[in-house]
């Protein structure tokens, strides 16, 4: 018997079984898809025909779509035709409007201007933060039965429009002893969100550049600012990516290209289909491959920001300072849908130069209740930078130097949520029509006393987590029979944890003052002022300056550990 022929026959049979099995699974999957789509269609038709009340087709289908997308990840989203413009704005940073941030203002049940954008129509017309919007183009802006978020969207849509079109904006401006109604004629124009709110010299030879987003042409803006800093004498650079939620992958690669050689592979994407796979390399000659760099990051540094910070770390091109980043290693693609809708869908994961993917959550492994959890450090893997330093995947970018910032106290959240910091800033502007400069501004002790008076006059209260935890502990102790023995201890704790507003305003004065100061400075100097104010007392910045002024420390951080050269 010919053994080779026998084995070949067996292999052919097994291959046939394998192909048949694969084909069977694929046929079954296609059947399941067709079956469930038919069921969905049939159920909707039955409800539409027989349900006792008239159903709203668009709302019902929208809920079905949202339920379907809830089984994916937070970045896969459907945009109906009327919302596609918001997606375009998110990716390009451009829209037609007046250039002003707005939000719901509960005290007046209206929409308030939070911040006009410097140099844009609203600011040039004289609109100020704190103005309450009454009408747009003669149409009164009232909430009615809308939710606050819906109301904000409605007013935002009214303010936007084709560049060159004009309208009358009527606002209520709070003044010291009264309020007055003002009208502004505003002409809309193309608004572009500035991705670089501030750049400048923070020391004689150290340049600083804050990057807030990765929208269209942000790399060109970055390059221009960087070259200007070099012309001013910058011998080292601090790139601030804190609170930068990301954006365009291509823009991120182009920014890394300013500091890395041409032809260097920065990002690889891997997806289920060929369209989701790709390689992104630096395309141009760099501006400077030698300048020492520190990159500031925090927990809100995500996506394209992590491509920049992670790539600079993998290439040993910068020292990363701050706290661990968010951990978004996913890439989204825009797909057109019928009736001018759009689907933003996650199509791949990205991998930076060391080969690692920094995605922190596996959305395919959701808990029974739909919740997800970060990948534990014990399940992450070691990779190596170009110099051989150890880095890890699966949990964001871990800084080379961790600087633990102060946690924002609970009271600050409630003071902001109740508009008390916002209202005090408006009040402050009544008494101070102008400020000489950001550097000259300082919130005085008397200013803070005035703020405390405002807080108390509003009968401000807030939830204290310690009181909630103590209440729960008492209930558990009572249930388990420990209450009698622990009664005195609980009384002592209740006394110490008693709600005391005066005490809390004094204990947390430092962080509260910082938020007040940023709100005030923004009124006069816009976003650049807010960034400059933040830098006055910034632990991350101070650590970056320390590292960049110590060449030995800088080189040591970016060098491979002894005996571990790759």
């Amino acid at each position: 018997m010919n053994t080779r022929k026998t084995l070949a026959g067996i292999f052919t049979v097994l291959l046939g079984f394998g192909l048949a099995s694969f084909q069977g699974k694929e046929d079954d999957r296609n059947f399941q898809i067709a079956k469930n789509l038919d069921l969905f269609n049939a159920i909707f038709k039955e409800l539409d025909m027989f349900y006792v009340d008239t159903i709203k087709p668009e709302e019902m289908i929208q809920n079905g779509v949202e339920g379907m997308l809830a089984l994916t990840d937070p970045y896969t989203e459907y945009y109906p035709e009327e919302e596609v413009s918001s997606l375009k704005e998110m990716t390009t940073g451009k829209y037609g409007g007046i250039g002003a941030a707005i939000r719901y203002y509960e005290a007046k049940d209206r929409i308030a201007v939070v911040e006009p954008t410097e140099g844009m129509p609203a600011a040039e017309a004289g609109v100020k933060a704190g103005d309450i919007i009454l009408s747009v183009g003669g149409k009164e802006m009232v909430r009615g039965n809308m939710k606050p978020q819906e109301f904000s969207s409605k007013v935002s849509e009214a303010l936007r429009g084709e560049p060159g079109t004009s309208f009358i904006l009527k606002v209520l401006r709070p003044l010291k002893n009264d309020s007055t109604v003002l009208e502004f004629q505003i002409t809309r124009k193309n608004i572009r969100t500035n991705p670089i709110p501030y750049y400048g010299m923070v020391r004689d030879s150290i340049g600083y550049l804050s990057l807030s987003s990765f929208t269209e042409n942000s790399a060109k803006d970055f390059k221009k600012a960087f070259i200007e800093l070099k012309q001013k004498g910058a011998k080292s650079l601090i790139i601030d990516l804190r609170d930068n939620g990301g954006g365009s992958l291509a823009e991120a690669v182009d920014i890394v290209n300013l500091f890395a050689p041409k032809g260097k592979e920065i990002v690889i994407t891997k997806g289920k289909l060929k369209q989701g796979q790709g390689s992104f390399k630096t395309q141009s000659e760099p501006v400077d491959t030698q300048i020492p760099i520190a990159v500031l990051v925090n927990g809100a540094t995500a996506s394209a920001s992590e491509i920049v910070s992670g790539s600079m770390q993998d290439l040993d091109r910068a020292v990363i300072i701050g706290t661990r980043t968010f951990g978004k290693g996913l890439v989204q693609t825009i797909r057109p849908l019928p009736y001018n809708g759009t689907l933003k869908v996650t199509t791949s994961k990205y991998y930076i130069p060391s080969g690692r993917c920094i995605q922190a959550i596996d959305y395919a492994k959701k808990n029974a209740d739909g919740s997800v959890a970060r990948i534990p450090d014990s399940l992450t893997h070691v990779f190596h930078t170009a110099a051989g330093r150890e880095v890890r995947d699966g949990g964001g970018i871990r800084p080379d130097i961790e600087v633990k910032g102060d946690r924002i106290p609970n009271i600050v959240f409630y003071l902001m949520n109740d508009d008390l910091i916002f209202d005090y800033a408006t009040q402050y502007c009544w008494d101070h029509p102008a400020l000489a400069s950001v550097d000259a501004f300082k919130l005085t002790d008397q200013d803070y006393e005035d703020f405390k008076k405002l807080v108390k006059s509003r009968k401000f209260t807030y939830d204290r987590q310690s009181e909630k935890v103590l209440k729960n502990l008492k209930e558990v102790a009572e249930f388990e029979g420990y209450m009698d023995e622990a009664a005195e201890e609980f009384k002592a704790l209740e006394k110490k944890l008693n709600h005391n507003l005066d005490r809390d305003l004094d204990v947390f004065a430092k962080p509260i003052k910082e938020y007040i100061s940023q709100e005030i400075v923004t009124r006069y100097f816009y976003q650049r002022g807010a960034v400059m104010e933040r830098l006055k007392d910034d632990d991350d910045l101070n650590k970056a300056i320390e590292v960049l002024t110590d060449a030995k420390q800088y080189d040591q951080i970016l060098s491979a550990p002894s005996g571990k050269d790759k």
Side-chain angles (χ1 to χ4, degrees):
M1 184 176 180
N2 191 321
T3 306
R4 182 176 295 178
K5 286 184 178 181
T6 303
L7 290 174
I10 292 172
F11 175 77
T12 302
V13 171
L14 290 175
L15 180 61
F17 278 132
L19 289 173
S21 176
F22 174 80
Q23 188 64 46
K25 288 180 179 178
E26 189 65 19
D27 288 345
D28 182 62
R29 185 173 186 277
N30 290 334
F31 170 73
Q32 290 297 329
I33 291 173
K35 169 188 170 182
N36 284 285
L37 285 174
D38 283 345
L39 279 171
F40 185 88
N41 187 46
I43 289 170
F44 175 78
K45 286 183 176 179
E46 294 294 317
L47 287 172
D48 188 41
M49 185 174 294
F50 295 110
Y51 185 64
V52 63
D53 294 321
T54 302
I55 64 171
K56 298 178 180 178
E58 187 174 1
E59 184 177 328
M60 184 167 281
I61 297 297
Q62 179 67 32
N63 285 338
V65 170
E66 290 174 358
M68 182 164 50
L69 296 181
L71 298 175
T72 58
D73 61 48
Y75 317 110
T76 297
E77 299 177 286
Y78 164 61
Y79 291 83
E81 181 179 9
E82 61 272 17
E83 295 179 18
V84 169
S85 59
S86 65
L87 176 62
K88 184 178 179 182
E89 178 192 337
M90 183 172 64
T91 55
T92 65
K94 299 176 183 177
Y95 65 95
I98 67 171
I102 61 172
R103 67 173 168 81
Y104 178 67
Y105 184 67
E106 187 175 7
K108 297 288 185 181
D109 197 27
R110 294 272 190 170
I111 298 299
V113 175
V114 178
E115 181 192 344
T117 303
E118 186 173 12
M120 292 297 108
E124 291 181 341
V127 177
K128 295 183 179 297
D131 286 348
I132 311 299
I133 295 175
L134 300 178
S135 68
V136 177
K139 187 175 181 179
E140 191 173 1
M141 294 290 113
V142 291
R143 184 160 75 95
N145 296 323
M146 287 182 284
K147 295 178 181 177
Q149 187 174 355
E150 293 173 330
F151 185 29
S152 296
S153 297
K154 176 189 174 182
V155 176
S156 177
E157 193 64 30
L159 293 171
R160 299 184 182 198
E162 286 296 317
T165 57
S166 299
F167 68 98
I168 299 296
L169 176 67
K170 183 186 289 187
V171 303
L172 179 72
R173 176 165 295 173
L175 298 176
K176 189 166 187 177
N177 299 313
D178 199 358
S179 297
T180 186
V181 174
L182 301 173
E183 291 187 354
F184 303 96
Q185 180 162 343
I186 302 179
T187 301
R188 299 179 180 93
K189 65 183 290 187
N190 280 316
I191 308 297
R192 179 176 180 256
T193 305
N194 184 6
I196 303 177
Y198 173 73
Y199 64 96
M201 304 296 290
V202 291
R203 289 292 187 276
D204 291 340
S205 61
I206 301 178
Y208 168 91
L209 194 156
S210 173
L211 183 67
S212 61
S213 64
F214 289 82
T215 49
E216 193 176 279
N217 293 321
S218 57
K220 290 182 180 178
D221 293 336
F222 189 108
K223 181 179 180 180
K224 181 181 177 182
F226 175 49
I227 290 173
E228 188 175 324
L229 288 172
K230 284 173 66 70
Q231 292 170 344
K232 289 182 177 179
K235 304 298 183 186
S236 55
L237 177 68
I238 298 171
I239 303 173
D240 194 343
L241 295 179
R242 291 174 297 181
D243 301 321
N244 184 326
S248 168
L249 183 155
E251 296 291 334
V253 173
D254 286 346
I255 287 174
V256 175
N257 193 173
L258 299 175
F259 311 105
K262 181 179 179 180
K264 178 72 73 173
E265 189 169 64
I266 303 301
V267 174
I268 294 175
T269 59
K270 297 179 182 179
K272 183 166 61 176
L273 300 178
K274 187 176 181 180
Q275 295 95 313
Q277 300 173 9
S279 172
F280 296 81
K281 297 181 179 181
T282 52
Q283 300 293 317
S284 308
E285 293 299 329
V287 174
D288 194 328
T289 60
Q290 299 299 318
I291 187 170
I293 302 171
V295 179
L296 309 185
V297 298
N298 63 9
T301 300
S303 189
S305 293
E306 293 174 296
I307 290 176
V308 172
S309 55
S311 296
M312 299 285 271
Q313 186 178 56
D314 284 357
L315 298 173
D316 303 296
R317 190 61 193 85
V319 173
I320 312 302
I321 296 173
T323 55
R324 188 188 295 197
T325 64
F326 182 80
K328 180 178 181 285
L330 305 175
V331 180
Q332 285 72 47
T333 302
I334 306 302
R335 302 289 301 170
L337 294 175
Y339 302 100
N340 300 316
T342 298
L343 181 69
K344 178 166 69 74
V345 57
T346 299
T347 53
S348 55
K349 294 180 179 179
Y350 70 78
Y351 300 78
I352 49 180
S354 65
R356 57 179 168 151
C357 176
I358 51 86
Q359 177 62 23
I361 297 174
D362 185 353
Y363 290 102
K365 297 178 180 177
K366 293 188 177 183
N367 300 320
D369 61 357
S371 62
V372 291
R374 292 177 68 92
I375 298 170
D377 289 347
S378 59
L379 296 181
T380 60
H381 307 89
V382 172
F383 291 78
H384 294 88
T385 70
R389 297 184 298 141
E390 287 189 357
V391 288
R392 286 186 170 271
D393 66 357
I397 306 300
R398 296 165 175 81
D400 299 309
I401 300 176
E402 185 171 2
V403 180
K404 292 185 177 180
D406 296 330
R407 295 183 65 181
I408 301 173
N410 201 29
I411 190 173
V412 172
F413 170 80
Y414 286 97
L415 288 169
M416 294 179 69
N417 191 60
D418 288 2
D419 291 315
L420 285 162
I421 290 177
F422 183 79
D423 288 347
Y424 177 73
T426 301
Q427 180 178 301
Y428 185 92
C429 293
W430 297 337
D431 300 320
H432 304 81
L435 290 182
S437 67
V438 177
D439 290 337
F441 170 76
K442 180 176 174 58
L443 194 74
T444 66
D445 290 340
Q446 183 56 53
D447 292 333
Y448 192 61
E449 287 300 318
D450 292 340
F451 172 73
K452 290 198 289 186
K453 288 178 184 176
L454 173 66
V455 172
K456 292 174 187 176
S457 71
R458 298 279 185 87
K459 302 188 184 304
F460 170 73
T461 59
Y462 69 100
D463 292 334
R464 299 183 66 201
Q465 296 303 312
S466 56
E467 290 179 350
K468 288 184 176 180
V469 173
L470 180 59
K471 182 181 178 183
N472 291 336
L473 182 60
K474 283 177 68 177
E475 290 174 355
V476 172
E478 207 165 318
F479 177 76
E480 294 184 346
Y482 295 115
M483 197 60 199
D484 290 341
E485 295 179 13
E488 291 302 317
E489 286 83 352
F490 272 113
K491 284 182 181 179
L493 269 174
E494 284 175 345
K495 188 175 181 180
K496 290 183 178 181
L497 298 179
N498 186 39
H499 191 96
N500 187 323
L501 183 59
D502 284 312
R503 169 199 168 276
D504 292 348
L505 288 171
D506 289 337
V507 168
F508 300 113
K510 184 176 182 293
I512 294 172
K513 284 182 177 180
E514 288 173 354
Y515 277 86
I516 295 173
S517 297
Q518 285 195 43
E519 182 66 40
I520 289 173
V521 169
T522 303
R523 302 293 179 101
Y524 300 93
F525 302 102
Y526 305 97
Q527 273 302 304
R528 61 187 171 89
V531 176
M532 293 169 71
E533 180 63 27
R534 177 180 182 177
L535 297 179
K536 287 182 179 179
D537 184 17
D538 190 325
D539 292 339
D540 291 350
L541 179 76
N542 293 335
K543 178 55 72 173
I545 292 171
E546 176 192 317
V547 171
L548 292 174
T549 52
D550 185 343
K552 184 177 180 181
Q553 182 184 4
Y554 180 85
D555 291 339
Q556 186 177 13
I557 292 170
L558 297 179
S559 300
S562 179
K564 291 188 178 181
D565 293 344
K566 192 177 177 184

